[in-house]
C-alpha cells in the first residue's frame, strides 16, 4: 500500500505552534457518532495540542472550535445546527475560529445549508482530509480566507499524525476504514469511501507502543473489521504480511501475543464475514473478550434482503448457535433498526423473535432515519413515524426486561473486572467492566486502576452492577 506524505501537515503544525507560543490559546472539540469518529478526534486533538492549544470543555473560552460530525442518523444534524447557533455569538464577540469536519461534510446538501444559514464557519473538511486540517488552519490564521477542503475520493490510509488519547487504560486502534457493503439504509459507504485496511506492521507497532505506554485494553476499529485485508487480497493490492498477519483472525492472534495488553475487543464485524477462522481465534485467544457485537439490523429475512445484508434470519441464528457452541461464556450485543421501509408487523415480530432467542447482553436500537442518496430513501413504502415509535417502544420493553433478568443472574457471581479509573458519577468509587462489557462500580484504592481483579457482584442496577473485591 502506498504511504501518504504528511510532511506538509507536520510543517504546518510546527508553523502554527510558533505563532501560538506563549499566547495561552484554547480549543474545544465536539465529537458526534461512532468510535471511528472518536478516534479521528483524538488525532485532531493530538495536532491541536502540538500547535500549542490547550483543551477546554467550555465553548465560550475556546479560540478554536472543531466539530467532528456524523451523518448516520438525522438527529446528529439537528445537534450540529443547534450548536452552530450557539457558537455564532462567540465568533462575533472574539473571532473564534470555527472548523467543521467529519462525515456530514461529505454530503453536498449539508455543506450548501451551512453556506446559506451558517456562513460564519472558517473551515470545512471531510473524514478524508484530516491531514489537511493544520494546513487549512494555517491559511485561516495568516489570511482569514474561508476554506472548503472536502475531497470526493475514496480516501487513503494516513500514518504518523500526532494523537492525544482520551483514556489511559483503554485505547482504540483503527485497523481499516470505509465500507464496500452498501446496506441500503446506510450513508457510510458514500462518506467514508471504499474499504481499505492498514498495513499489519503499522497496527502491531501501534499496539506495542500502547502497551509500552501502559494501556491495557485495545479496541480494534473498522466498519467491517472481520473483512480486514479482504479487499486488498481480492484486488491484488500489495500489502506486507507481518508476524503472520494476513487476515482478521491472524491479526487477533498476533495482538493477543503482545505483552502488557490484557483485553482485546473489536467493532464492528459483519455477520456475513464471520468465518470459522475468526470464531476459532476468539476461542483460542485468552485476551480477546468473549463478548461480541453482531449487528442484526432486522430479524426478518425479507427486510434483510432489501437492506442488502446478505444473510437471512435463519443464517444469523445458525451463526449465533455455532458461536455459542464454539466459544464458552460467549455474550452478544447487537444493533437493530426498526421501521425500515416496507417493514410489516410480521417482519417486526421476526425481529422480536430473534431478540427473544439470542438473549443479547445489550441492544443498540435505532429508529430508521432516511439518508439522502441511499436506496432506502428512495423507497416508496416508508413507515409512518407513529408506527416506528410504537415498534421501537415495544422492542425497548423486551430488551429492558431481558437485561433486567440478566442483571439478576450476575448477582452473587464472581467476575473478572478490568479497573478503568474513578467512577464519573461518584468520585469515591472505582469503575471497570466485565468481559461482557457491563459497567461495575466498587470501592477500592487507586492503585487498582489498570489491573484485572476478581469481584463478587453484590447488587444490580439497570445500567451497572456493584461489586466487592474477593479476598484471597
Ligand atoms: N437509520 C437508522 N439507523 C441506522 N444505522 C445506520 N444507518 C441508519 C439509518 N439510516 C445504525 C445501524 C448501524 C449503526 C451504527 O447505526 O444499526 O449498525
Ligand atoms: Fe453501513 Fe452496512 Fe457498511 Fe455497516 S456494513 S457501515 S451498516 S453499509
Amino acid at each position: 500500500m502506498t504511504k501518504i506524505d504528511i510532511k506538509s501537515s507536520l510543517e504546518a503544525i510546527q508553523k502554527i505552534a510558533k505563532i501560538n507560543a506563549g499566547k495561552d490559546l484554547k480549543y474545544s472539540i465536539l465529537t458526534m457518532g461512532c468510535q471511528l469518529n472518536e478516534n479521528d478526534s483524538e488525532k485532531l486533538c493530538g495536532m491541536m495540542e502540538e500547535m500549542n492549544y490547550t483543551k477546554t470543555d467550555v465553548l465560550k473560552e475556546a479560540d478554536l472550535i472543531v466539530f467532528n460530525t456524523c451523518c448516520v442518523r438525522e438527529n446528529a444534524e439537528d445537534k450540529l445546527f443547534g450548536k452552530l447557533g450557539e457558537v455564532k455569538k462567540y465568533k462575533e464577540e472574539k473571532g473564534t475560529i470555527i472548523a467543521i469536519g467529519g462525515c456530514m461534510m461529505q454530503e453536498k446538501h449539508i455543506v450548501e445549508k451551512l453556506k446559506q444559514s451558517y456562513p460564519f464557519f472558517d473551515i470545512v473538511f471531510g473524514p478524508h482530509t484530516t491531514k489537511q486540517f493544520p494546513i487549512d488552519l494555517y491559511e485561516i490564521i495568516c489570511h482569514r480566507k474561508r476554506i472548503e477542503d472536502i475531497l470526493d475520493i475514496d480516501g487513503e490510509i494516513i500514518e504518523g499524525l500526532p494523537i492525544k488519547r482520551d483514556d489511559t487504560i483503554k485505547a482504540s486502534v483503527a485497523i481499516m476504514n470505509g465500507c464496500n457493503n452498501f446496506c441500503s439504509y446506510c450513508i457510510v459507504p458514500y462518506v467514508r469511501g471504499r474499504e481499505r485496511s492498514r498495513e499489519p506492521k503499522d497496527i502491531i507497532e501501534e499496539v506495542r507502543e500502547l502497551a509500552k505506554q501502559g494501556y491495557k485494553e485495545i479496541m480494534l476499529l473498522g466498519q467491517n473489521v472481520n473483512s480486514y485485508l479482504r479487499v486488498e487480497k481480492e484486488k491484488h493490492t500489495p500489502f506486507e504480511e507481518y508476524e503472520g498477519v494476513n487476515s482478521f483472525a491472524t491479526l487477533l492472534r498476533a495482538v493477543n501475543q503482545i505483552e502488557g495488553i490484557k483485553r482485546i475487543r473489536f467493532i464492528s464485524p459483519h455477520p456475513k464475514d464471520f468465518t470459522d477462522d475468526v470464531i476459532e481465534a476468539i476461542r483460542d485467544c485468552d485476551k480477546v473478550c468473549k463478548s461480541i457485537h453482531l449487528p442484526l439490523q432486522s430479524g426478518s429475512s425479507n427486510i434483510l434482503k432489501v437492506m442488502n445484508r446478505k444473510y437471512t434470519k435463519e443464517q444469523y441464528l445458525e451463526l449465533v448457535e455455532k458461536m455459542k457452541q464454539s466459544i464458552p461464556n460467549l455474550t452478544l450485543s447487537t444493533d437493530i433498526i426498526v421501521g425500515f421501509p416496507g417493514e410489516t408487523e410480521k417482519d417486526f415480530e421476526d425481529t422480536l423473535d430473534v431478540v427473544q432467542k439470542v438473549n443479547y447482553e445489550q441492544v443498540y436500537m435505532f429508529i430508521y432515519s432516511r439518508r439522502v442518496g441511499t436506496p432506502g430513501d428512495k423507497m416508496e413504502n416508508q413507515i409512518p413515524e407513529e408506527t416506528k415509535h410504537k415498534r421501537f417502544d415495544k422492542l425497548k420493553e423486551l430488551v429492558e426486561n431481558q437485561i433486567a433478568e440478566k442483571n439478576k443472574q450476575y448477582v452473587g457471581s464472581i467476575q473478572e473486572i478490568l479497573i478503568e479509573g474513578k467512577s464519573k458519577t461518584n468520585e469515591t468509587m472505582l469503575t471497570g467492566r466485565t468481559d461482557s462489557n457491563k459497567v461495575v462500580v466498587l470501592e477500592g484504592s487507586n492503585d487498582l486502576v489498570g489491573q484485572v481483579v476478581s469481584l463478587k457482584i453484590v447488587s444490580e442496577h439497570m445500567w451497572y452492577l456493584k461489586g466487592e473485591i474477593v479476598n484471597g
Side-chain angles (χ1 to χ4, degrees), residues 179 181-183 185-186 188-189 223-224 270 297 309:
C179 183
N181 289 328
F182 291 92
C183 301
Y185 50 82
C186 187
V188 167
Q223 263 88 24
N224 197 0
H270 194 303
Q297 310 303 0
R309 290 291 290 176

Side-chain angles (χ1 to χ4, degrees), residues 52 67-68 73-74 83 116 133 150 152 169 177 203 206 220 237 286 328 331 366 371 374 387 397 406 414 429:
N52 278 326
F67 293 91
N68 191 5
R73 288 172 296 274
E74 191 178 0
K83 277 286 169 203
Q116 293 284 322
F133 172 68
I150 307 157
D152 218 2
I169 302 296
N177 208 333
I203 299 173
E206 183 173 345
L220 303 173
T237 310
D286 58 331
T331 58
F366 307 105
R371 306 286 67 211
T374 61
T387 313
E397 198 188 322
K406 272 180 180 282
I414 306 290
M429 305 285 277

Side-chain angles (χ1 to χ4, degrees), residues 56-74:
T56 172
D57 291 330
V58 186
L59 286 179
K60 204 174 160 179
E61 287 177 0
D63 302 279
L64 166 61
I65 298 177
V66 178
F67 293 91
N68 191 5
T69 62
C70 164
C71 56
V72 168
R73 288 172 296 274
E74 191 178 0

Side-chain angles (χ1 to χ4, degrees), residues 296-309:
L296 170 67
Q297 310 303 0
S298 167
S300 151
S301 296
N302 294 333
I303 295 295
L304 286 167
K305 188 152 201 280
V306 194
M307 281 179 163
N308 193 28
R309 290 291 290 176

Side-chain angles (χ1 to χ4, degrees), residues 330-346:
L330 177 77
T331 58
L332 292 165
S333 60
T334 200
D335 288 347
I336 291 177
I337 299 175
V338 295
F340 184 77
E343 184 187 73
T344 61
E345 275 307 313
K346 166 78 185 58

Side-chain angles (χ1 to χ4, degrees), residues 7-122:
K7 201 168 140 234
S8 42
S9 311
L10 298 177
E11 277 169 9
I13 290 175
Q14 292 314 318
K15 284 193 261 183
I16 298 174
K18 254 193 213 144
I19 296 171
N20 287 351
K23 289 191 185 155
D24 189 25
L25 297 176
K26 296 199 165 63
Y27 76 92
S28 266
I29 185 158
L30 281 110
T31 308
M32 298 156 195
C34 67
Q35 303 209 18
L36 269 157
N37 249 20
E38 280 170 19
N39 189 259
D40 285 347
S41 281
E42 290 184 335
K43 288 174 189 147
L44 290 164
C45 289
M47 291 192 257
M48 290 189 279
E49 305 245 337
E50 291 224 347
M51 293 187 272
N52 278 326
Y53 291 97
T54 51
K55 192 171 182 176
T56 172
D57 291 330
V58 186
L59 286 179
K60 204 174 160 179
E61 287 177 0
D63 302 279
L64 166 61
I65 298 177
V66 178
F67 293 91
N68 191 5
T69 62
C70 164
C71 56
V72 168
R73 288 172 296 274
E74 191 178 0
N75 47 12
E77 282 162 27
D78 303 338
K79 195 169 160 194
L80 172 69
F81 296 133
K83 277 286 169 203
L84 281 173
E86 182 188 337
V87 303
K88 184 172 182 232
K89 59 177 179 288
Y90 308 138
K91 171 94 202 176
E92 286 163 359
E93 281 164 22
K94 56 183 268 193
T96 310
I97 298 172
I98 312 287
I100 316 172
C103 297
M104 214 191 286
M105 297 307 106
Q106 291 294 130
E107 295 185 285
K108 289 198 177 70
H109 70 283
I110 297 283
V111 178
E112 276 316 306
K113 180 163 176 183
L114 283 178
K115 285 197 225 163
Q116 293 284 322
S117 311
Y118 305 89
F120 52 87
F121 68 83
D122 296 285

